[in-house]
Amino acid sequence: MIGKHHDKVVGSVVDALAPLADGMTILVGGFGLSGNPEALIRGVVERGVRHLTLVSNNAGNLGKGLATWLKAGIIDKVICSYIGGNEDLHTRMASGEVKVEVTPQGTLAERMRAAGAGIPAFYTPTGVGTVVETGKETKEIDGRRYLLERARPGDVALVRATMCDRFGNLRFWRTGRNFNPVMATAAKLTIVECDSLVPNGAIDPDDVHLAGIFVHRIVHVPEHENAFEFRTTRKR
Amino acid sequence: MIGKHHDKVVGSVVDALAPLADGMTILVGGFGLSGNPEALIRGVVERGVRHLTLVSNNAGNLGKGLATWLKAGIIDKVICSYIGGNEDLHTRMASGEVKVEVTPQGTLAERMRAAGAGIPAFYTPTGVGTVVETGKETKEIDGRRYLLERARPGDVALVRATMCDRFGNLRFWRTGRNFNPVMATAAKLTIVECDSLVPNGAIDPDDVHLAGIFVHRIVHVPEHENAFEFRTTRKR
Amino acid sequence: MFTTEMMARRAAQEIPEGAIVNLGIGLPTQVADHLPRGHAWLHSENGLLGMGPFPFEGEEDANLINAGKQTVTVLPGGSTFDSASSFAMIRGGHVDLAILGAMQVSATGDLANWAVPGGKVMGIGGAMDLATGCRRVIAMMQHVTKKNEPKLVARCDYPLTATAVVGLVITELGVFEPNGTGFRVVELAPGVTREQAAALSGAPLL
Amino acid sequence: MFTTEMMARRAAQEIPEGAIVNLGIGLPTQVADHLPRGHAWLHSENGLLGMGPFPFEGEEDANLINAGKQTVTVLPGGSTFDSASSFAMIRGGHVDLAILGAMQVSATGDLANWAVPGGKVMGIGGAMDLATGCRRVIAMMQHVTKKNEPKLVARCDYPLTATAVVGLVITELGVFEPNGTGFRVVELAPGVTREQAAALSGAPLL
């Protein structure tokens, strides 16, 4: 689609998610429950699409975030790097309800970066000599063996930004950045949920974390739960 | 070398360039004469090293910038994307004094990005069916043919930043950014020339363009020529 | 015949509202003059999106330039980024349209625009990435060389930039679309006949 | 025997001044408590360099966490970045040292630390990238399993994380260096004899 870079701001999560369809591959930003596009995640369950392939570092946790997709039974497959204590995923993986592909975290990020950058495949040392190597081509380069990893594009990316202008230039907050920018580059349709929506020009060109060229729909969601997983503190 | 991330600020260009040696591959930031590490470029000529391989988008222009390295006879080979009107390079290429490897600009950038990211090689569609394909492996992926391109690391990177803190966190100004950050990641030793040197903490963590992990030596150079190539203007 | 200004205006009509466009060095750069304000977003491969017009005199910044190394400005909503990110945009198919100068275009859409056989090597620059990566490529050129040789050809004999990429060619004689066996005549410039254009082309006009 | 605190302190001694260090989840995280202020720069693979201590109560930010998803702070000179950039740092060899938990370490430096055969799959996370990419890898673990099986082994039978990467192992019994055929005893914990350690190891101590 050419010329989609006008009028990106939509009025509601429902409007933002209108193009979703059954069977799509959806990339969802976040690291555990941090940096999650919370309203879009809720909206997908309400939207009623099914048989999704979810690409996410963790697929939720503590029954929250993307774990709600698992509980709603709308996911056929998860591509993630870490499961940990995500019981909703453990249960469905054990029962066979959800297929799970576990990928090294850096490889997962790089596969999406490659998809966004027009690189169909790349070699990496990560996973050589491990189960990750199974079924993959290898190549010796300068005396060291590497795995060939393929780009991982998505149909849709759901992204959380702290600030967004009307063209879709994004800024992220602290480690809420994580997979969000790289996923935004890797999908045919990138939908952004932003804490604050500002006019074009409000973000200095040098201060843009991700250029609006990668963004297609924007929904402004001022309030977020920002759930904690481990609220560790020190004494004053 | 482990543990080199203390005391990066050196007092002079001469000190900064002390580790250079004959025969090194040097990556130099800049797009034409913009975003050039001007004092470091001058310093390398004064340093007296020779037989260098220079990786630069343009290798200078108008007799300025890296063209001074050509005139000083210290370069054996140039890896660049564009020569254009750089007569100092045309002359030496024609005489055989300097070997020139011309690479598509995006491939040049990506090869250095790969070097910095531990990716030894990647596939790209750029150059397929052209002279760039000569001597390279190709592979068909999902019905399309791609070239295998190799990472392009350097011994030293010379980088221009507009702002730098003492750990080496960098900010760039406008299109002066260009190849600077990606070259900084691709070299064993990265030397930064900054317009302004600020204390750690002066740059907000979210506003760092390139993290100081990639920077090893810093020299503060407040004054720059910032030469124009085409000073185009419009009437008021 | 089209003047170069008419060619630029005609090329501008090919740019949909809200498109991301990269304009090559030379004639394509002039296309920007014919775009309504805010109509499209201009990308410059040295690391700028949302490129504005030349600066007012006295406001030139040597570190705010386009890929032709001319001083430019940045519009509200614009952004700057490094070369690897810029070419990720291009190679990844995020730039909707490239309008590029050309030396030869073949009936199968092959583009030659970076080197003349036996001539000085000027380098590749961003040409191959742009031609390969942008979703649509429009070539702008004079219809024939200075020696009157056709530049719309059955098969390029100049060094290729990319194969099967050109969607449309705009010359002073008209607008042509490579269709595999020749060029479909989309439009002829005022006063130009199909026979005249055909006589100056190296592949059938269809 | 070393207490876990002594193990953490011992590991901290392996960190040169000005190093970039990634501390794995669990016991390695405690190593930070034994580093002098400003001694090293802590990297967290979710996108943070210059990680500081836990925040004061009331200052927790759910979007400022470490890779173990604990709330943390960022020190002056710190920076944030996306996951692809973070793993570019790791894979590209820019992180000087990783201190990681382990389930088995072999005499050739193979590391197994992400899955127990037949156990629940917890996932890989950043473990393989860290073990493969960081210039030096130190493993911290209990010397034997809960079933008293040795974890210093001739050859790992747990699923591997990476091969030939571990430079040093710190257990409650001492400090050991894989040397190809066994483990060189760098240091024994107070009250531990070489014979005791050897009896609990699955490969020769040398």
Side-chain angles (χ1 to χ4, degrees):
Chain A
M1 185 178 34
I2 268 189
K4 56 185 177 307
H5 289 282
H6 268 183
D7 300 325
K8 298 181 184 182
V9 180
V10 296
S12 69
V13 167
V14 170
D15 288 350
L17 295 173
L20 265 64
D22 287 357
M24 279 184 165
T25 295
I26 314 221
L27 320 176
V28 186
F31 187 88
L33 300 177
S34 79
N36 277 216
E38 299 175 3
L40 291 172
I41 289 172
R42 280 194 305 273
V44 168
V45 175
E46 288 157 21
R47 175 76 178 71
V49 286
R50 299 172 59 93
H51 302 300
L52 303 177
T53 293
L54 167 64
V55 184
S56 152
N57 191 57
N58 311 75
N61 203 10
L62 311 175
K64 293 189 173 194
L66 291 163
T68 61
W69 291 17
L70 292 161
K71 290 193 276 193
I74 62 174
I75 303 182
D76 286 359
K77 184 177 177 184
V78 168
I79 301 173
C80 66
S81 94
Y82 194 71
I83 303 168
N86 186 349
E87 289 307 326
D88 295 296
L89 187 49
H90 278 297
T91 313
R92 284 159 187 83
M93 183 165 56
S95 72
E97 183 191 330
V98 173
K99 280 179 59 179
V100 179
E101 178 184 323
V102 176
T103 301
Q105 195 172 135
T107 299
L108 184 62
E110 189 67 13
R111 288 176 67 197
M112 291 186 281
R113 193 264 171 196
I119 303 292
F122 58 90
Y123 288 98
T124 176
T126 303
V128 168
T130 77
V131 295
V132 171
E133 184 174 326
T134 313
K136 293 195 179 117
E137 283 181 48
T138 64
K139 187 181 181 69
E140 192 171 308
I141 300 174
D142 294 340
R144 188 174 176 190
R145 209 155 58 89
Y146 297 92
L147 304 187
L148 184 65
E149 291 279 2
R150 296 283 298 272
R152 175 69 267 176
D155 295 304
V156 174
L158 306 182
V159 163
R160 164 84 176 276
T162 187
M163 187 181 285
C164 179
D165 70 20
R166 300 188 77 87
F167 178 57
N169 291 308
L170 305 184
R171 281 181 60 83
F172 304 93
W173 176 255
R174 301 300 189 241
T175 57
R177 194 175 327 190
N178 56 65
F179 282 87
N180 283 297
V182 71
M183 285 177 166
T185 70
K188 291 192 204 98
L189 178 74
T190 293
I191 307 174
V192 168
E193 168 177 346
C194 61
D195 296 45
S196 99
L197 179 65
V198 299
N200 287 347
I203 309 176
D204 184 273
D206 290 344
D207 288 337
V208 171
H209 289 157
L210 187 81
I213 189 172
F214 298 110
V215 172
H216 309 116
R217 289 177 171 232
I218 299 161
V219 58
H220 181 204
V221 178
E223 298 291 330
H224 287 91
E225 180 187 356
N226 294 322
F228 291 94
E229 291 187 48
F230 300 100
R231 199 162 178 158
T232 42
T233 57
R234 65 185 145 140
K235 291 266 150 55
R236 272 174 201 278
Chain B
M1 182 177 35
I2 269 189
K4 57 186 176 304
H5 289 282
H6 268 183
D7 300 326
K8 299 181 184 183
V9 180
V10 296
S12 71
V13 167
V14 170
D15 288 349
L17 295 173
L20 266 64
D22 287 357
M24 279 185 165
T25 294
I26 314 223
L27 319 177
V28 187
F31 187 88
L33 301 177
S34 79
N36 277 215
E38 299 175 2
L40 291 171
I41 289 173
R42 280 194 305 275
V44 169
V45 175
E46 288 157 19
R47 174 76 177 69
V49 286
R50 299 172 59 91
H51 302 300
L52 303 177
T53 292
L54 166 65
V55 183
S56 152
N57 191 57
N58 311 76
N61 202 10
L62 311 174
K64 292 190 171 190
L66 291 163
T68 62
W69 290 16
L70 291 162
K71 290 192 278 193
I74 62 175
I75 303 182
D76 286 359
K77 184 177 176 183
V78 168
I79 301 173
C80 66
S81 95
Y82 193 71
I83 303 167
N86 186 348
E87 290 306 326
D88 295 295
L89 187 50
H90 278 296
T91 314
R92 283 159 186 84
M93 183 166 56
S95 72
E97 183 190 329
V98 173
K99 279 180 59 181
V100 178
E101 178 184 322
V102 176
T103 302
Q105 196 173 131
T107 299
L108 184 62
E110 189 68 14
R111 289 176 67 197
M112 290 187 283
R113 193 265 171 195
I119 303 293
F122 59 90
Y123 288 98
T124 175
T126 303
V128 169
T130 77
V131 295
V132 170
E133 184 174 327
T134 313
K136 293 195 178 115
E137 283 181 48
T138 65
K139 186 180 181 70
E140 192 171 308
I141 301 175
D142 294 339
R144 189 174 175 191
R145 209 155 58 90
Y146 296 92
L147 303 187
L148 184 65
E149 291 280 0
R150 296 284 298 270
R152 174 70 267 176
D155 295 304
V156 174
L158 306 182
V159 163
R160 164 83 177 276
T162 187
M163 186 182 285
C164 179
D165 70 19
R166 301 187 77 87
F167 178 58
N169 291 308
L170 304 185
R171 281 182 60 85
F172 305 93
W173 175 254
R174 301 301 189 239
T175 57
R177 193 173 330 189
N178 58 65
F179 282 86
N180 283 297
V182 70
M183 285 175 165
T185 70
K188 292 192 204 99
L189 177 75
T190 293
I191 308 174
V192 168
E193 168 177 344
C194 62
D195 295 46
S196 100
L197 179 65
V198 299
N200 287 347
I203 309 176
D204 183 273
D206 290 343
D207 288 337
V208 170
H209 289 158
L210 187 83
I213 189 172
F214 298 110
V215 171
H216 309 116
R217 288 176 171 234
I218 300 161
V219 59
H220 181 204
V221 179
E223 298 292 329
H224 287 91
E225 179 186 358
N226 293 322
F228 291 94
E229 291 187 49
F230 300 101
R231 198 163 179 157
T232 43
T233 57
R234 64 185 147 139
K235 292 266 150 53
R236 274 175 200 277
Chain C
M1 292 229 297
F2 288 143
T3 60
T4 54
E5 193 189 325
M6 289 160 80
M7 285 170 67
R9 189 179 304 130
R10 182 62 186 77
Q13 290 171 16
E14 295 293 322
I15 302 178
E17 197 177 348
I20 310 278
V21 184
N22 187 296
L23 301 175
I25 296 173
L27 181 50
T29 302
Q30 297 181 30
V31 175
D33 302 337
H34 302 281
L35 289 172
R37 196 187 180 86
H39 181 80
W41 293 87
L42 299 182
H43 177 272
S44 189
E45 66 266 29
N46 54 315
L48 176 60
L49 181 61
M51 183 167 60
F54 294 150
F56 291 122
E57 255 177 65
E59 295 181 0
E60 309 93 311
D61 178 345
N63 290 314
L64 180 48
I65 61 173
N66 64 17
K69 290 154 194 168
Q70 297 170 310
T71 47
V72 295
T73 53
V74 54
L75 297 175
S79 57
T80 51
F81 31 84
D82 68 77
S83 299
S85 302
S86 184
F87 282 91
M89 295 176 187
I90 293 167
R91 203 189 308 101
H94 307 282
V95 176
D96 296 314
L97 178 61
I99 302 182
L100 304 174
M103 295 169 178
Q104 290 185 330
V105 176
S106 83
T108 54
D110 292 357
L111 173 68
N113 80 344
W114 71 278
V116 179
K120 237 184 192 176
V121 177
M122 301 301 274
I124 298 167
M128 288 190 184
D129 297 286
L130 286 163
T132 305
C134 297
R135 296 207 209 162
R136 181 169 158 81
V137 175
I138 295 176
M140 292 181 79
M141 62 180 186
Q142 295 302 305
H143 205 88
V144 295
T145 67
K146 284 174 188 163
K147 294 180 182 171
N148 253 359
E149 293 158 336
K151 297 168 74 174
L152 294 182
V153 294
R155 196 188 159 87
C156 298
D157 50 16
Y158 282 29
L160 290 181
T161 305
T163 59
V165 294
V166 177
L168 202 69
V169 187
I170 299 173
T171 78
E172 77 279 17
L173 301 189
V175 181
F176 307 91
E177 189 183 84
N179 74 353
T181 53
F183 293 85
R184 187 172 75 81
V185 179
V186 176
E187 180 181 333
L188 288 168
V192 176
T193 67
R194 178 179 283 261
E195 290 65 35
Q196 286 171 327
L200 296 169
S201 300
L205 298 191
L206 306 158
Chain D
M1 293 229 298
F2 288 144
T3 60
T4 55
E5 194 189 326
M6 288 160 81
M7 285 170 66
R9 190 179 304 130
R10 182 60 186 80
Q13 290 170 17
E14 294 293 322
I15 302 178
E17 196 178 349
I20 311 277
V21 185
N22 187 296
L23 301 175
I25 296 172
L27 181 51
T29 302
Q30 297 181 30
V31 175
D33 302 336
H34 302 280
L35 289 172
R37 196 187 179 85
H39 180 81
W41 293 88
L42 298 182
H43 177 272
S44 189
E45 64 267 29
N46 54 317
L48 177 60
L49 181 62
M51 183 167 59
F54 294 150
F56 291 122
E57 255 177 65
E59 295 181 359
E60 310 92 310
D61 178 344
N63 291 313
L64 181 48
I65 60 174
N66 64 17
K69 291 155 195 166
Q70 299 170 312
T71 47
V72 295
T73 52
V74 53
L75 298 175
S79 57
T80 52
F81 31 82
D82 68 78
S83 299
S85 302
S86 184
F87 282 91
M89 294 174 187
I90 293 168
R91 203 190 309 102
H94 306 282
V95 175
D96 297 314
L97 178 62
I99 302 182
L100 303 175
M103 295 169 178
Q104 291 185 329
V105 176
S106 83
T108 54
D110 293 355
L111 173 69
N113 79 344
W114 71 278
V116 179
K120 238 183 192 179
V121 177
M122 301 299 273
I124 298 166
M128 288 191 184
D129 297 285
L130 286 162
T132 306
C134 296
R135 296 205 209 163
R136 181 167 158 81
V137 175
I138 295 176
M140 292 182 79
M141 61 181 187
Q142 294 303 305
H143 205 87
V144 294
T145 67
K146 284 175 188 162
K147 295 182 181 168
N148 253 1
E149 293 157 336
K151 297 169 73 174
L152 294 183
V153 294
R155 197 189 157 88
C156 298
D157 50 17
Y158 281 29
L160 289 182
T161 305
T163 58
V165 294
V166 176
L168 202 70
V169 188
I170 299 174
T171 77
E172 77 279 16
L173 301 189
V175 181
F176 308 91
E177 188 182 84
N179 73 353
T181 54
F183 293 85
R184 187 172 76 82
V185 178
V186 177
E187 182 181 332
L188 288 168
V192 175
T193 66
R194 177 178 286 261
E195 290 65 34
Q196 286 171 326
L200 295 169
S201 300
L205 298 191
L206 306 159

